Amino acid sequence: MRIGLAYNQRPSDATWSGGAGGRTSPEPSAPIDEYVEWDDPETIEAVGKALRVFGDVVYLEAIDDFPTRLRDAKVDFLFNMAEGMSGPNRESHVPAIAEFLEVPYLGSDPLSLALALHKGRAKEVFVQRGVPTAPAVLVESDADLERLNGATTYPLFLKPIWEGSSKGIAEASHVTSPAEAQERARHLLATYRQPVLAESFLPGDEFTAAVLGHGKEAATLPLIRYKFHTLPEGSLPIMGYEAKWLWDQPDTEFDILECPARISEELAAALRDAALGAYRALGCRDWARVDLRLDADGKPQVLEVNPLPGIMPDPGAHSCLPMAASALGMSYDELIQGVTRIAWRRATGSELQ
Ligand SMILES: Nc1ncnc2c1ncn2[C@@H]1O[C@H](COP(=O)(O)OP(=O)(O)OP(=O)(O)O)[C@@H](O)[C@H]1O
Ligand SMILES: [Mg+2]
């Protein structure tokens, strides 16, 4: 068995600090969080090591000559963890190339990946399918800024429409007036060069639900709650860029995740239902992580689905999916091997030895 591993690796230049660290001295033209979605070498190596149990692992960096290297590698299966290079369809490029070359691969297909990445399109599908999600206004260009006036209820929370890893998300995303909203929207439009989603601010607790499996067999792993009271005093209770990449370092005492979440069975069931509803509505496969928050009435609302979930192996990096798996007694290798078996069974109808 030959198994390919498609990935995008963070540049290792001096502008990076630490394993999960942020960029400390960006070029003036680049947003501070430009490469934050890509994986560090430790994560890529940990996945490769776990996959070796199945046979030879061929490392395939998903850069310009990826299509020919994938074609020539003659792999039986592709483990896809590539976040993609750029643009709103970046996460779909590798799976689309694999489909073109008829290589079976792990994870969601190009349509689901592109839908999940576009928070506006995903919201339309959620609404259509009855998946709870907060109301929002779309600002596609400066000409739409007036949509932030009038009937919209404040506070709002503004984010770039097709980013991840909390790119463009900071305390300034929380706005309480049309003037503030317009200023932030202008900044996001200019910095990230894409539409902005202005969503009702959800003031309640935040959770993340890891999902494993597909179709009827998809199930959630133990839920995780964010303990926002552990953030520096006076911070807004959100998982913004600072909380994810600057304050949370392997060598700091950052302890924001509660896993399993200590909540009532009733709330847990509502969160699981919403998470699985979102996963199925977008047609996700094999695994994903669904982010949710409670509204002012304590009702779960889906923020987004991440069909390429973060999988950092170091427990000190507080990666949610490995942490949720470990709450079930599953090691990192067992998680990677388990999801590979799920994907192989889905793609080929047979069991992977
Ligand atoms: N409507 C909202 N109300 C309150 N907080 C929000 C809202 N939308 C987003 N947030 C906060 O911002 C964080 C990041 O938002 P979101 O999950 O939508 O973006 P992301 O960058 O795609 O995240 P990820 O790192 O999971 O890919 C959330 O974890 C949450 O703390
Ligand atoms: Mg998120």
PDB file of all heavy atoms in Angstrom, residues 119 134 157 159 163-167 169 199-202 206 228 237-240 244 289 291 293 303-304 306, ligand 1:
ATOM      1  N   LYS A 119     -18.374  31.538   4.576  1.00  0.00           N
ATOM      2  CA  LYS A 119     -19.325  31.571   5.692  1.00  0.00           C
ATOM      3  C   LYS A 119     -20.705  32.089   5.278  1.00  0.00           C
ATOM      4  O   LYS A 119     -21.696  31.764   5.919  1.00  0.00           O
ATOM      5  CB  LYS A 119     -18.753  32.409   6.829  1.00  0.00           C
ATOM      6  CG  LYS A 119     -17.507  31.769   7.443  1.00  0.00           C
ATOM      7  CD  LYS A 119     -17.022  32.520   8.667  1.00  0.00           C
ATOM      8  CE  LYS A 119     -15.988  31.721   9.428  1.00  0.00           C
ATOM      9  NZ  LYS A 119     -14.610  32.047   9.096  1.00  0.00           N
ATOM     10  N   ALA A 134     -26.750  32.336  13.395  1.00  0.00           N
ATOM     11  CA  ALA A 134     -27.126  33.723  13.683  1.00  0.00           C
ATOM     12  C   ALA A 134     -27.432  34.498  12.405  1.00  0.00           C
ATOM     13  O   ALA A 134     -26.810  34.242  11.366  1.00  0.00           O
ATOM     14  CB  ALA A 134     -25.982  34.405  14.432  1.00  0.00           C
ATOM     15  N   PHE A 157     -20.735  41.215  14.856  1.00  0.00           N
ATOM     16  CA  PHE A 157     -19.382  40.666  14.855  1.00  0.00           C
ATOM     17  C   PHE A 157     -18.969  40.511  13.399  1.00  0.00           C
ATOM     18  O   PHE A 157     -19.656  39.846  12.626  1.00  0.00           O
ATOM     19  CB  PHE A 157     -19.372  39.320  15.583  1.00  0.00           C
ATOM     20  CG  PHE A 157     -17.997  38.880  15.969  1.00  0.00           C
ATOM     21  CD1 PHE A 157     -17.392  39.354  17.126  1.00  0.00           C
ATOM     22  CD2 PHE A 157     -17.286  37.999  15.171  1.00  0.00           C
ATOM     23  CE1 PHE A 157     -16.113  38.958  17.485  1.00  0.00           C
ATOM     24  CE2 PHE A 157     -16.010  37.598  15.521  1.00  0.00           C
ATOM     25  CZ  PHE A 157     -15.422  38.070  16.682  1.00  0.00           C
ATOM     26  N   LYS A 159     -16.431  39.544  10.207  1.00  0.00           N
ATOM     27  CA  LYS A 159     -15.301  38.665   9.845  1.00  0.00           C
ATOM     28  C   LYS A 159     -15.157  38.528   8.340  1.00  0.00           C
ATOM     29  O   LYS A 159     -16.144  38.615   7.606  1.00  0.00           O
ATOM     30  CB  LYS A 159     -15.445  37.297  10.502  1.00  0.00           C
ATOM     31  CG  LYS A 159     -16.850  36.726  10.551  1.00  0.00           C
ATOM     32  CD  LYS A 159     -16.892  35.532  11.519  1.00  0.00           C
ATOM     33  CE  LYS A 159     -18.291  34.955  11.583  1.00  0.00           C
ATOM     34  NZ  LYS A 159     -18.409  33.848  12.522  1.00  0.00           N
ATOM     35  N   GLU A 163     -12.007  33.205   5.278  1.00  0.00           N
ATOM     36  CA  GLU A 163     -10.756  32.893   5.978  1.00  0.00           C
ATOM     37  C   GLU A 163     -11.040  31.849   7.045  1.00  0.00           C
ATOM     38  O   GLU A 163     -12.174  31.464   7.288  1.00  0.00           O
ATOM     39  CB  GLU A 163     -10.153  34.150   6.610  1.00  0.00           C
ATOM     40  CG  GLU A 163      -9.691  35.175   5.605  1.00  0.00           C
ATOM     41  CD  GLU A 163      -8.623  34.672   4.632  1.00  0.00           C
ATOM     42  OE1 GLU A 163      -8.078  33.582   4.855  1.00  0.00           O
ATOM     43  OE2 GLU A 163      -8.351  35.361   3.638  1.00  0.00           O
ATOM     44  N   GLY A 164      -9.976  31.405   7.713  1.00  0.00           N
ATOM     45  CA  GLY A 164     -10.090  30.467   8.831  1.00  0.00           C
ATOM     46  C   GLY A 164      -9.016  30.809   9.833  1.00  0.00           C
ATOM     47  O   GLY A 164      -8.315  31.821   9.689  1.00  0.00           O
ATOM     48  N   SER A 165      -8.880  29.963  10.860  1.00  0.00           N
ATOM     49  CA  SER A 165      -7.829  30.133  11.866  1.00  0.00           C
ATOM     50  C   SER A 165      -7.857  31.524  12.497  1.00  0.00           C
ATOM     51  O   SER A 165      -6.826  32.083  12.857  1.00  0.00           O
ATOM     52  CB  SER A 165      -6.437  29.865  11.269  1.00  0.00           C
ATOM     53  OG  SER A 165      -6.420  28.592  10.681  1.00  0.00           O
ATOM     54  N   SER A 166      -9.066  32.101  12.592  1.00  0.00           N
ATOM     55  CA  SER A 166      -9.254  33.428  13.203  1.00  0.00           C
ATOM     56  C   SER A 166      -8.498  34.540  12.498  1.00  0.00           C
ATOM     57  O   SER A 166      -8.157  35.561  13.111  1.00  0.00           O
ATOM     58  CB  SER A 166      -8.912  33.401  14.704  1.00  0.00           C
ATOM     59  OG  SER A 166      -9.950  32.741  15.382  1.00  0.00           O
ATOM     60  N   LYS A 167      -8.234  34.381  11.204  1.00  0.00           N
ATOM     61  CA  LYS A 167      -7.633  35.476  10.442  1.00  0.00           C
ATOM     62  C   LYS A 167      -8.640  36.631  10.387  1.00  0.00           C
ATOM     63  O   LYS A 167      -9.813  36.427  10.087  1.00  0.00           O
ATOM     64  CB  LYS A 167      -7.289  35.013   9.026  1.00  0.00           C
ATOM     65  CG  LYS A 167      -6.116  34.052   9.001  1.00  0.00           C
ATOM     66  CD  LYS A 167      -5.865  33.488   7.641  1.00  0.00           C
ATOM     67  CE  LYS A 167      -5.120  34.463   6.757  1.00  0.00           C
ATOM     68  NZ  LYS A 167      -4.506  33.782   5.586  1.00  0.00           N
ATOM     69  N   ILE A 169      -9.865  38.203  12.809  1.00  0.00           N
ATOM     70  CA  ILE A 169     -10.803  38.222  13.937  1.00  0.00           C
ATOM     71  C   ILE A 169     -10.080  38.714  15.189  1.00  0.00           C
ATOM     72  O   ILE A 169      -9.104  38.117  15.631  1.00  0.00           O
ATOM     73  CB  ILE A 169     -11.433  36.824  14.137  1.00  0.00           C
ATOM     74  CG1 ILE A 169     -12.336  36.563  12.933  1.00  0.00           C
ATOM     75  CG2 ILE A 169     -12.193  36.747  15.452  1.00  0.00           C
ATOM     76  CD1 ILE A 169     -13.089  35.307  12.913  1.00  0.00           C
ATOM     77  N   GLU A 199     -22.243  39.502  11.456  1.00  0.00           N
ATOM     78  CA  GLU A 199     -23.171  38.560  12.098  1.00  0.00           C
ATOM     79  C   GLU A 199     -23.605  39.111  13.445  1.00  0.00           C
ATOM     80  O   GLU A 199     -22.821  39.804  14.115  1.00  0.00           O
ATOM     81  CB  GLU A 199     -22.376  37.257  12.319  1.00  0.00           C
ATOM     82  CG  GLU A 199     -23.171  36.006  12.449  1.00  0.00           C
ATOM     83  CD  GLU A 199     -22.260  34.763  12.454  1.00  0.00           C
ATOM     84  OE1 GLU A 199     -21.233  34.753  13.170  1.00  0.00           O
ATOM     85  OE2 GLU A 199     -22.581  33.818  11.738  1.00  0.00           O
ATOM     86  N   SER A 200     -24.828  38.795  13.869  1.00  0.00           N
ATOM     87  CA  SER A 200     -25.235  39.188  15.225  1.00  0.00           C
ATOM     88  C   SER A 200     -24.233  38.632  16.217  1.00  0.00           C
ATOM     89  O   SER A 200     -23.826  37.468  16.090  1.00  0.00           O
ATOM     90  CB  SER A 200     -26.601  38.592  15.571  1.00  0.00           C
ATOM     91  OG  SER A 200     -27.565  39.158  14.771  1.00  0.00           O
ATOM     92  N   PHE A 201     -23.829  39.441  17.180  1.00  0.00           N
ATOM     93  CA  PHE A 201     -22.873  38.961  18.183  1.00  0.00           C
ATOM     94  C   PHE A 201     -23.586  37.992  19.115  1.00  0.00           C
ATOM     95  O   PHE A 201     -24.664  38.287  19.636  1.00  0.00           O
ATOM     96  CB  PHE A 201     -22.299  40.136  18.989  1.00  0.00           C
ATOM     97  CG  PHE A 201     -21.285  39.690  19.999  1.00  0.00           C
ATOM     98  CD1 PHE A 201     -20.016  39.276  19.596  1.00  0.00           C
ATOM     99  CD2 PHE A 201     -21.598  39.653  21.359  1.00  0.00           C
ATOM    100  CE1 PHE A 201     -19.071  38.839  20.524  1.00  0.00           C
ATOM    101  CE2 PHE A 201     -20.652  39.226  22.295  1.00  0.00           C
ATOM    102  CZ  PHE A 201     -19.400  38.813  21.871  1.00  0.00           C
ATOM    103  N   LEU A 202     -22.991  36.810  19.285  1.00  0.00           N
ATOM    104  CA  LEU A 202     -23.583  35.779  20.148  1.00  0.00           C
ATOM    105  C   LEU A 202     -22.893  35.863  21.507  1.00  0.00           C
ATOM    106  O   LEU A 202     -21.704  35.553  21.630  1.00  0.00           O
ATOM    107  CB  LEU A 202     -23.378  34.397  19.520  1.00  0.00           C
ATOM    108  CG  LEU A 202     -24.086  34.231  18.163  1.00  0.00           C
ATOM    109  CD1 LEU A 202     -23.509  33.050  17.384  1.00  0.00           C
ATOM    110  CD2 LEU A 202     -25.587  34.070  18.363  1.00  0.00           C
ATOM    111  N   GLU A 206     -19.093  29.340  24.281  1.00  0.00           N
ATOM    112  CA  GLU A 206     -18.666  28.804  22.979  1.00  0.00           C
ATOM    113  C   GLU A 206     -18.196  27.358  23.135  1.00  0.00           C
ATOM    114  O   GLU A 206     -17.571  26.997  24.141  1.00  0.00           O
ATOM    115  CB  GLU A 206     -17.539  29.677  22.409  1.00  0.00           C
ATOM    116  CG  GLU A 206     -17.055  29.168  21.058  1.00  0.00           C
ATOM    117  CD  GLU A 206     -16.235  30.198  20.285  1.00  0.00           C
ATOM    118  OE1 GLU A 206     -16.405  31.426  20.542  1.00  0.00           O
ATOM    119  OE2 GLU A 206     -15.445  29.774  19.431  1.00  0.00           O
ATOM    120  N   PHE A 228     -13.621  31.211  28.818  1.00  0.00           N
ATOM    121  CA  PHE A 228     -13.142  32.558  28.490  1.00  0.00           C
ATOM    122  C   PHE A 228     -12.639  33.330  29.708  1.00  0.00           C
ATOM    123  O   PHE A 228     -11.884  34.285  29.560  1.00  0.00           O
ATOM    124  CB  PHE A 228     -14.235  33.348  27.763  1.00  0.00           C
ATOM    125  CG  PHE A 228     -14.455  32.879  26.352  1.00  0.00           C
ATOM    126  CD1 PHE A 228     -15.720  32.529  25.902  1.00  0.00           C
ATOM    127  CD2 PHE A 228     -13.392  32.778  25.461  1.00  0.00           C
ATOM    128  CE1 PHE A 228     -15.918  32.094  24.593  1.00  0.00           C
ATOM    129  CE2 PHE A 228     -13.578  32.341  24.153  1.00  0.00           C
ATOM    130  CZ  PHE A 228     -14.844  32.000  23.731  1.00  0.00           C
ATOM    131  N   PRO A 237     -14.761  37.884  25.264  1.00  0.00           N
ATOM    132  CA  PRO A 237     -14.782  36.414  25.293  1.00  0.00           C
ATOM    133  C   PRO A 237     -14.917  35.800  23.894  1.00  0.00           C
ATOM    134  O   PRO A 237     -15.985  35.311  23.504  1.00  0.00           O
ATOM    135  CB  PRO A 237     -16.010  36.098  26.169  1.00  0.00           C
ATOM    136  CG  PRO A 237     -16.903  37.274  26.006  1.00  0.00           C
ATOM    137  CD  PRO A 237     -16.011  38.463  25.789  1.00  0.00           C
ATOM    138  N   ILE A 238     -13.836  35.836  23.139  1.00  0.00           N
ATOM    139  CA  ILE A 238     -13.844  35.249  21.795  1.00  0.00           C
ATOM    140  C   ILE A 238     -12.513  34.531  21.553  1.00  0.00           C
ATOM    141  O   ILE A 238     -11.520  34.820  22.206  1.00  0.00           O
ATOM    142  CB  ILE A 238     -14.014  36.316  20.680  1.00  0.00           C
ATOM    143  CG1 ILE A 238     -12.892  37.359  20.756  1.00  0.00           C
ATOM    144  CG2 ILE A 238     -15.385  36.967  20.732  1.00  0.00           C
ATOM    145  CD1 ILE A 238     -12.674  38.127  19.478  1.00  0.00           C
ATOM    146  N   MET A 239     -12.522  33.609  20.577  1.00  0.00           N
ATOM    147  CA  MET A 239     -11.283  32.955  20.160  1.00  0.00           C
ATOM    148  C   MET A 239     -10.738  33.714  18.950  1.00  0.00           C
ATOM    149  O   MET A 239     -10.792  33.231  17.817  1.00  0.00           O
ATOM    150  CB  MET A 239     -11.555  31.484  19.811  1.00  0.00           C
ATOM    151  CG  MET A 239     -11.786  30.618  21.029  1.00  0.00           C
ATOM    152  SD  MET A 239     -10.472  30.762  22.272  1.00  0.00           S
ATOM    153  CE  MET A 239      -9.112  29.945  21.449  1.00  0.00           C
ATOM    154  N   GLY A 240     -10.212  34.889  19.206  1.00  0.00           N
ATOM    155  CA  GLY A 240      -9.651  35.704  18.137  1.00  0.00           C
ATOM    156  C   GLY A 240      -8.224  35.286  17.831  1.00  0.00           C
ATOM    157  O   GLY A 240      -7.709  34.292  18.377  1.00  0.00           O
ATOM    158  N   LYS A 244      -5.834  32.458  19.836  1.00  0.00           N
ATOM    159  CA  LYS A 244      -5.463  31.214  19.159  1.00  0.00           C
ATOM    160  C   LYS A 244      -3.970  31.101  18.915  1.00  0.00           C
ATOM    161  O   LYS A 244      -3.401  30.034  19.006  1.00  0.00           O
ATOM    162  CB  LYS A 244      -6.212  31.128  17.827  1.00  0.00           C
ATOM    163  CG  LYS A 244      -7.179  29.964  17.805  1.00  0.00           C
ATOM    164  CD  LYS A 244      -8.045  29.965  16.574  1.00  0.00           C
ATOM    165  CE  LYS A 244      -9.507  30.067  16.966  1.00  0.00           C
ATOM    166  NZ  LYS A 244     -10.402  30.220  15.828  1.00  0.00           N
ATOM    167  N   ARG A 289     -14.680  19.718  12.327  1.00  0.00           N
ATOM    168  CA  ARG A 289     -14.901  20.332  13.641  1.00  0.00           C
ATOM    169  C   ARG A 289     -15.932  21.432  13.447  1.00  0.00           C
ATOM    170  O   ARG A 289     -15.793  22.254  12.544  1.00  0.00           O
ATOM    171  CB  ARG A 289     -13.593  20.922  14.147  1.00  0.00           C
ATOM    172  CG  ARG A 289     -13.415  20.861  15.646  1.00  0.00           C
ATOM    173  CD  ARG A 289     -12.285  21.766  16.085  1.00  0.00           C
ATOM    174  NE  ARG A 289     -12.643  23.145  15.866  1.00  0.00           N
ATOM    175  CZ  ARG A 289     -11.913  23.998  15.139  1.00  0.00           C
ATOM    176  NH1 ARG A 289     -10.801  23.618  14.562  1.00  0.00           N
ATOM    177  NH2 ARG A 289     -12.324  25.238  14.987  1.00  0.00           N
ATOM    178  N   ASP A 291     -17.895  24.681  15.029  1.00  0.00           N
ATOM    179  CA  ASP A 291     -17.831  25.703  16.081  1.00  0.00           C
ATOM    180  C   ASP A 291     -19.233  26.251  16.338  1.00  0.00           C
ATOM    181  O   ASP A 291     -19.965  26.574  15.390  1.00  0.00           O
ATOM    182  CB  ASP A 291     -16.907  26.850  15.649  1.00  0.00           C
ATOM    183  CG  ASP A 291     -15.460  26.396  15.538  1.00  0.00           C
ATOM    184  OD1 ASP A 291     -15.104  25.404  16.203  1.00  0.00           O
ATOM    185  OD2 ASP A 291     -14.691  27.017  14.785  1.00  0.00           O
ATOM    186  N   ARG A 293     -21.812  28.716  19.212  1.00  0.00           N
ATOM    187  CA  ARG A 293     -21.947  29.603  20.371  1.00  0.00           C
ATOM    188  C   ARG A 293     -23.409  29.674  20.771  1.00  0.00           C
ATOM    189  O   ARG A 293     -24.296  29.408  19.954  1.00  0.00           O
ATOM    190  CB  ARG A 293     -21.469  31.026  20.022  1.00  0.00           C
ATOM    191  CG  ARG A 293     -20.022  31.261  20.358  1.00  0.00           C
ATOM    192  CD  ARG A 293     -19.627  32.637  19.926  1.00  0.00           C
ATOM    193  NE  ARG A 293     -19.756  33.610  21.002  1.00  0.00           N
ATOM    194  CZ  ARG A 293     -18.722  34.075  21.715  1.00  0.00           C
ATOM    195  NH1 ARG A 293     -17.505  33.663  21.482  1.00  0.00           N
ATOM    196  NH2 ARG A 293     -18.907  34.982  22.654  1.00  0.00           N
ATOM    197  N   LEU A 303     -21.510  28.497  14.201  1.00  0.00           N
ATOM    198  CA  LEU A 303     -20.666  29.555  13.621  1.00  0.00           C
ATOM    199  C   LEU A 303     -20.124  29.091  12.278  1.00  0.00           C
ATOM    200  O   LEU A 303     -20.145  29.826  11.296  1.00  0.00           O
ATOM    201  CB  LEU A 303     -19.481  29.862  14.532  1.00  0.00           C
ATOM    202  CG  LEU A 303     -19.725  30.599  15.836  1.00  0.00           C
ATOM    203  CD1 LEU A 303     -18.402  30.791  16.556  1.00  0.00           C
ATOM    204  CD2 LEU A 303     -20.392  31.944  15.579  1.00  0.00           C
ATOM    205  N   GLU A 304     -19.571  27.879  12.275  1.00  0.00           N
ATOM    206  CA  GLU A 304     -18.953  27.395  11.041  1.00  0.00           C
ATOM    207  C   GLU A 304     -18.554  25.938  11.191  1.00  0.00           C
ATOM    208  O   GLU A 304     -18.473  25.413  12.299  1.00  0.00           O
ATOM    209  CB  GLU A 304     -17.710  28.226  10.714  1.00  0.00           C
ATOM    210  CG  GLU A 304     -16.703  28.197  11.830  1.00  0.00           C
ATOM    211  CD  GLU A 304     -15.271  28.258  11.353  1.00  0.00           C
ATOM    212  OE1 GLU A 304     -15.038  28.358  10.139  1.00  0.00           O
ATOM    213  OE2 GLU A 304     -14.373  28.173  12.212  1.00  0.00           O
ATOM    214  N   ASN A 306     -15.476  23.250  10.028  1.00  0.00           N
ATOM    215  CA  ASN A 306     -14.087  23.166   9.548  1.00  0.00           C
ATOM    216  C   ASN A 306     -13.819  21.738   9.067  1.00  0.00           C
ATOM    217  O   ASN A 306     -13.440  20.879   9.867  1.00  0.00           O
ATOM    218  CB  ASN A 306     -13.118  23.508  10.684  1.00  0.00           C
ATOM    219  CG  ASN A 306     -13.340  24.919  11.202  1.00  0.00           C
ATOM    220  OD1 ASN A 306     -12.956  25.887  10.573  1.00  0.00           O
ATOM    221  ND2 ASN A 306     -13.995  25.042  12.350  1.00  0.00           N
TER     222      ASN A 306
HETATM  223  N1  LIG B   1     -21.327  35.927  15.716  1.00  0.00           N
HETATM  224  C1  LIG B   1     -20.365  35.814  16.639  1.00  0.00           C
HETATM  225  N2  LIG B   1     -20.582  36.181  17.917  1.00  0.00           N
HETATM  226  C2  LIG B   1     -19.623  36.073  18.867  1.00  0.00           C
HETATM  227  N3  LIG B   1     -18.386  35.616  18.616  1.00  0.00           N
HETATM  228  C3  LIG B   1     -18.109  35.217  17.363  1.00  0.00           C
HETATM  229  C4  LIG B   1     -19.073  35.286  16.305  1.00  0.00           C
HETATM  230  N4  LIG B   1     -18.493  34.824  15.174  1.00  0.00           N
HETATM  231  C5  LIG B   1     -17.242  34.468  15.507  1.00  0.00           C
HETATM  232  N5  LIG B   1     -16.997  34.711  16.823  1.00  0.00           N
HETATM  233  C6  LIG B   1     -15.728  34.486  17.552  1.00  0.00           C
HETATM  234  O1  LIG B   1     -14.650  34.483  16.619  1.00  0.00           O
HETATM  235  C7  LIG B   1     -14.007  33.206  16.592  1.00  0.00           C
HETATM  236  C8  LIG B   1     -13.607  32.837  15.186  1.00  0.00           C
HETATM  237  O2  LIG B   1     -14.768  32.817  14.368  1.00  0.00           O
HETATM  238  P1  LIG B   1     -15.029  31.668  13.300  1.00  0.00           P
HETATM  239  O3  LIG B   1     -15.005  30.344  13.972  1.00  0.00           O
HETATM  240  O4  LIG B   1     -16.265  32.025  12.575  1.00  0.00           O
HETATM  241  O5  LIG B   1     -13.775  31.910  12.358  1.00  0.00           O
HETATM  242  P2  LIG B   1     -12.524  31.094  11.829  1.00  0.00           P
HETATM  243  O6  LIG B   1     -11.411  32.041  11.699  1.00  0.00           O
HETATM  244  O7  LIG B   1     -12.956  30.416  10.595  1.00  0.00           O
HETATM  245  O8  LIG B   1     -12.204  30.010  12.932  1.00  0.00           O
HETATM  246  P3  LIG B   1     -11.287  28.696  12.852  1.00  0.00           P
HETATM  247  O9  LIG B   1     -10.017  29.029  13.552  1.00  0.00           O
HETATM  248  O10 LIG B   1     -12.098  27.751  13.674  1.00  0.00           O
HETATM  249  O11 LIG B   1     -11.107  28.315  11.444  1.00  0.00           O
HETATM  250  C9  LIG B   1     -15.010  32.231  17.176  1.00  0.00           C
HETATM  251  O12 LIG B   1     -14.354  31.121  17.727  1.00  0.00           O
HETATM  252  C10 LIG B   1     -15.726  33.111  18.204  1.00  0.00           C
HETATM  253  O13 LIG B   1     -15.012  33.199  19.416  1.00  0.00           O
END
